[in-house]
Amino acid sequence: MRTSVIQQLTARSRGVQEARKFQHFNLDSPQPLIETAKDIMSTVQPSFGACAMLSAAWAGMLNDHYDIPAIVVAGDLKIEGKRVFKCKKNISVSGSTEKFLNQKWDGHCWIEIDGFIGDLSIFRTAYSLEHPSVLRQFIESNFGLGRGAMLSPVKDIPQGMQYIPKFVLDDTQVNGLIAGLGYQLEQDI
């Protein structure tokens, strides 16, 4: 069921040819995913709510350096049946390369490739919460403290944690998010 949803979302936003490439790709080893995750995590300082930019950067690196057709997925994240992040709409992008958008968006982003989910922000977000929360409690009890990136086969994600796909980002969205992250890194924001 999940595979067909991801396939449909990918075809809708990236085209049928990209959807087929994604569908037929077989990941021989997760090592490129691990290496690129480490690179990004060592470059970008922890912050709350950076899931879209981190996921875009990760997918971009995988596509550019390894020809791995990772996709950025936007959707809901449920923990113990509660929606921690609810994605009501897709991520907006500017039609101009000179214009930055600063809009509120409440969804969650991650990457997917060959049955794996990758999430560079979930631990950073959970650990940054100072007040008690279902997310922080779940992360600490299921993963512990001091974790970096999550990379897991979909079937091995802990019970009670649901990544619910609603959109797959297209190249314009991914490139815009990467540019935004680059700007933040240049400005040391």
Side-chain angles (χ1 to χ4, degrees), residues 33-51:
L33 280 72
I34 295 166
E35 289 172 16
T36 51
K38 285 180 181 179
D39 285 348
I40 294 167
M41 300 294 278
S42 68
T43 304
V44 180
Q45 293 297 316
S47 65
F48 180 87
C51 63

Side-chain angles (χ1 to χ4, degrees), residues 20-124:
R20 284 188 188 125
K21 183 177 179 182
F22 174 79
Q23 179 183 17
H24 296 295
F25 180 80
N26 291 312
L27 187 65
D28 295 329
S29 165
Q31 197 59 38
L33 280 72
I34 295 166
E35 289 172 16
T36 51
K38 285 180 181 179
D39 285 348
I40 294 167
M41 300 294 278
S42 68
T43 304
V44 180
Q45 293 297 316
S47 65
F48 180 87
C51 63
M53 287 189 283
L54 291 171
S55 296
W58 200 6
M61 285 181 77
L62 290 167
N63 280 284
D64 293 347
H65 299 291
Y66 296 96
D67 200 29
I68 295 175
I71 57 169
V72 179
V73 181
D76 298 348
L77 178 66
K78 278 187 173 181
I79 301 291
E80 301 292 352
K82 296 178 179 144
R83 285 190 202 278
V84 175
F85 297 104
K86 182 170 179 63
C87 183
K88 296 177 186 173
K89 61 182 180 175
N90 203 344
I91 294 175
S92 298
V93 293
S94 168
S96 166
T97 57
E98 303 297 319
K99 182 178 176 186
F100 286 95
L101 293 179
N102 187 11
Q103 296 179 346
K104 185 170 172 51
W105 181 78
D106 290 329
H108 188 59
C109 282
W110 60 92
I111 67 164
E112 293 204 22
I113 187 65
D114 196 24
F116 281 85
I117 285 183
D119 191 338
L120 295 181
S121 70
I122 194 65
F123 297 127
R124 289 176 168 201

